[in-house]
Amino acid sequence: MLEKLRNMIKGVKADFVDIRYEIKRHTLIGFTGREIRQIGSNNTDGYVVRVLKGGGFSTATVTKEEDVSRALELAVEGAETIVETGGRKSSLEQVPVVRDRVKINLNGDPREIPIDEKLVLTSMYNDLMLEQPSIETTNISYSEIGREKYYVNSEGSAVSEEILTTNIAGEVIAKRDSLLQNIRISIGGADGYNRLLGRNEDFVKRARIAGKLLDAEPVKGGTYNVILSPLLTGVFTHEAFGHFSEADIIEDNPSLRKKMSLGERLGTEQVTIIADSTIPNQIGYYKYDDEGVEVKPVTLMDRGVLTGRLHSRRTAKAYGEPVTGHSVAEDMRFEPIIRMGTIYIEPGEKSFDNLLEELDEGLYLVDGKGGQTSGENFTFGAQYGFIVKNGKLGPMIRDINIMGNLFTTLQNIVAVGNDLTLSERGGCGKGQLNIKSALGGPHVLIRDMVVGGV
């Protein structure tokens, strides 16, 4: 395939050309309550070509091999039009020529498991949740996405890589009279089908939490000192901070770009933030991005000081900073854009009990439940929480939102736990879906967090 792609881009009159061919396989099984909502698999494939000519950088996508030559013509025309109309001039940072074939290493290949067996597994976990007290219904899905990627460029790089993710995820909903409460569940990863097996307790535990929320009190709104759980810490790190570390997000925002200057102290000494897609067996793992660049770990913040940024070849050249290998596409329908893989706050030295003792009085908030950002301000939901008094966990609370300003919050992180939990499912929606967007972190203690409630 790589040789065929090389031949396809030969003779194109441009400064740079690349082509990516992908085969994507998606299997989906969905339950709503005890009813099977959907079940099936589909395979698709296609080509993405990019052309750089005279500073114009243009992309075209097609699904048929016979249309690739026309796609290249359109990309050349697009690049020329960008130049003629005064559009953005682009150039690419130099990177090593690589030739590699990366095979996937799985603990149980889901492609060898019959769909009936996947249905039985998903149904069993679904039934376990439905059998718990006060559970009204569920929305649970098995999802398996495989991408077989082939990349060639005019500089001589030729890379193929397989990636495959599996997960069982959704929500469980408890009900009493008119009160509904839901809790999310997700298990899975990029290291094989066997990660999904033997997880009964995960599903039972989440369903029981949903039931207990029916007896919890809504949190009283106010400003609290809080401990965030690892996955809620991850939501803050990814959504509020991480996207501003993606060079394309701040490229055309002068005020934000100034605030995110390398060398600026943005957080406390306790905060070190890493983007590392080289951690084996994690959902965010890959070796080469969709520009054929080997991904590198990046320390985005070192003890409160901004030290790194995530780049494509184009933005690395524009910023004069190192290429990092974070240009990733959802699939063969899209050109790559800058994406986080695995991002987390580096663990500190304090145990959870140490953090509770230091908090003394406040709230312990657990797991993310959606949210949004508006510039440097954020609002995120927490799935549940606990009141903390005298350093001890107290009554459960529900209906929780946290809100604040990124830069203020980074200055209010006063302690970091010694644990680390990473998500088992990705799904960032920055323009395209990124199934490799792992997040997480340790428990963190934050002063003066605004918490929305009654």
Side-chain angles (χ1 to χ4, degrees):
M1 190 67 210
L2 294 174
E3 186 59 33
K4 180 186 281 189
L5 295 179
R6 266 192 212 101
N7 291 330
M8 285 179 174
I9 63 173
K10 273 183 181 175
V12 176
K13 295 181 179 178
D15 303 315
F16 171 87
V17 184
D18 69 6
I19 183 168
R20 177 166 44 90
Y21 171 69
E22 282 195 39
I23 304 168
K24 182 179 180 182
R25 301 178 177 88
H26 190 194
T27 297
L28 189 62
I29 301 168
F31 281 87
T32 298
R34 297 191 187 278
E35 182 179 347
I36 299 175
R37 185 175 68 250
Q38 59 189 133
I39 179 168
S41 299
N42 66 75
N43 296 346
T44 52
D45 65 339
Y47 301 80
V48 182
V49 300
R50 303 189 306 169
V51 167
L52 178 66
K53 184 175 183 180
F57 202 14
S58 181
T59 300
T61 65
V62 293
T63 57
K64 296 179 180 177
E65 181 179 335
E66 57 265 34
D67 293 332
V68 169
S69 59
R70 179 56 182 151
L72 287 164
E73 291 173 359
L74 288 172
V76 170
E77 292 171 11
E80 292 172 342
T81 300
I82 289 171
V83 175
E84 291 167 2
T85 57
R88 185 200 300 269
K89 288 286 191 71
S90 300
S91 56
L92 303 180
E93 185 61 49
Q94 293 297 308
V95 296
V97 172
V98 291
R99 292 173 184 164
D100 199 1
R101 297 173 187 267
V102 183
K103 290 295 182 183
I104 198 165
N105 183 23
L106 298 173
N107 180 16
D109 190 338
R111 295 167 296 188
E112 298 173 356
I113 307 293
I115 196 168
D116 289 353
E117 195 170 321
K118 298 165 184 171
L119 174 65
V120 169
L121 181 68
T122 310
S123 176
M124 180 192 70
Y125 289 146
N126 189 47
D127 287 346
L128 279 174
M129 293 194 294
L130 287 167
E131 290 165 1
Q132 302 309 309
S134 304
I135 298 305
E136 177 73 7
T137 190
T138 56
N139 285 297
I140 296 295
S141 297
Y142 171 92
S143 178
E144 173 189 319
I145 297 177
R147 293 173 63 194
E148 189 177 328
K149 306 188 296 179
Y150 300 86
Y151 174 88
V152 167
N153 69 28
S154 55
E155 297 167 337
S157 287
V159 174
S160 65
E161 183 170 6
E162 290 179 284
I163 57 175
L164 193 151
T165 65
T166 55
N167 67 70
I168 299 176
E171 63 174 350
V172 55
I173 301 165
K175 183 181 180 184
R176 180 185 300 148
D177 300 326
S178 61
L179 177 63
L180 293 170
Q181 290 293 308
N182 71 316
I183 286 289
R184 297 178 180 180
I185 171 86
S186 63
I187 64 168
D191 55 345
Y193 188 78
N194 289 350
R195 177 185 279 263
L196 302 179
L197 304 179
R199 304 293 295 270
N200 301 33
E201 283 303 313
D202 293 271
F203 288 86
V204 171
K205 181 180 177 183
R206 300 304 284 181
R208 289 178 177 172
I209 291 172
K212 289 178 180 176
L213 275 174
L214 297 173
D215 295 316
E217 291 292 325
V219 67
K220 293 182 179 178
T223 300
Y224 295 86
N225 298 332
V226 302
I227 295 173
L228 303 187
S229 74
L231 292 183
L232 188 52
T233 297
V235 171
F236 166 76
T237 308
H238 174 106
E239 298 289 353
F241 171 80
H243 283 303
F244 289 166
S245 293
E246 296 170 331
D248 54 349
I249 288 284
I250 63 171
E251 186 174 17
D252 298 317
N253 186 330
S255 63
L256 193 52
R257 187 167 171 174
K258 184 178 180 181
K259 287 184 177 180
M260 294 295 291
S261 298
L262 300 188
E264 286 290 314
R265 172 167 289 283
L266 301 181
T268 60
E269 288 276 346
Q270 286 72 25
V271 184
T272 292
I273 301 178
I274 310 290
D276 188 356
S277 292
T278 70
I279 303 172
N281 301 326
Q282 296 301 319
I283 193 78
Y285 175 83
Y286 61 90
K287 186 170 184 182
Y288 294 100
D289 73 359
D290 291 325
E291 291 188 309
V293 176
E294 188 169 2
V295 67
K296 298 177 177 63
V298 181
T299 300
L300 300 170
M301 179 177 290
D302 184 9
R303 290 166 291 176
V305 177
L306 200 66
T307 53
R309 206 183 321 275
L310 306 180
H311 280 294
S312 65
R313 292 184 63 182
R314 183 191 67 77
T315 60
K317 183 72 172 179
Y319 279 69
E321 296 173 359
V323 179
T324 60
H326 286 85
S327 193
V328 174
E330 178 178 340
D331 55 34
M332 65 285 174
R333 297 170 299 170
F334 301 96
E335 65 175 324
I337 58 175
I338 300 170
R339 309 305 300 263
M340 287 168 273
T342 303
I343 186 168
Y344 58 94
I345 291 178
E346 190 173 65
E349 298 180 348
K350 297 193 176 183
S351 68
F352 180 60
D353 286 342
N354 292 152
L355 293 177
L356 283 174
E357 185 178 358
E358 186 168 339
L359 174 64
D360 189 33
E361 295 205 3
L363 304 176
Y364 173 42
L365 307 179
V366 185
D367 295 346
K369 195 175 186 179
Q372 60 185 356
T373 59
S374 177
E376 58 194 66
N377 299 312
F378 63 84
T379 302
F380 303 131
Q383 295 192 41
Y384 61 101
F386 298 89
I387 295 171
V388 177
K389 284 190 175 180
N390 299 321
K392 305 292 183 185
L393 292 179
M396 192 180 218
I397 50 176
R398 59 177 169 83
D399 304 337
I400 307 159
N401 285 294
I402 60 174
M403 56 202 76
N405 174 277
L406 165 65
F407 301 105
T408 302
T409 304
L410 287 170
Q411 293 288 348
N412 286 344
I413 296 176
V414 294
V416 175
N418 58 8
D419 52 343
L420 176 66
T421 301
L422 297 175
S423 61
E424 296 191 48
R425 183 193 187 203
C428 176
K430 175 196 165 187
Q432 309 167 20
L433 184 67
N434 181 19
I435 59 173
K436 309 292 287 181
S437 58
L439 56 82
H443 286 88
V444 299
L445 197 164
I446 305 176
R447 300 289 185 197
D448 299 328
M449 176 70 77
V450 177
V451 177
V454 295

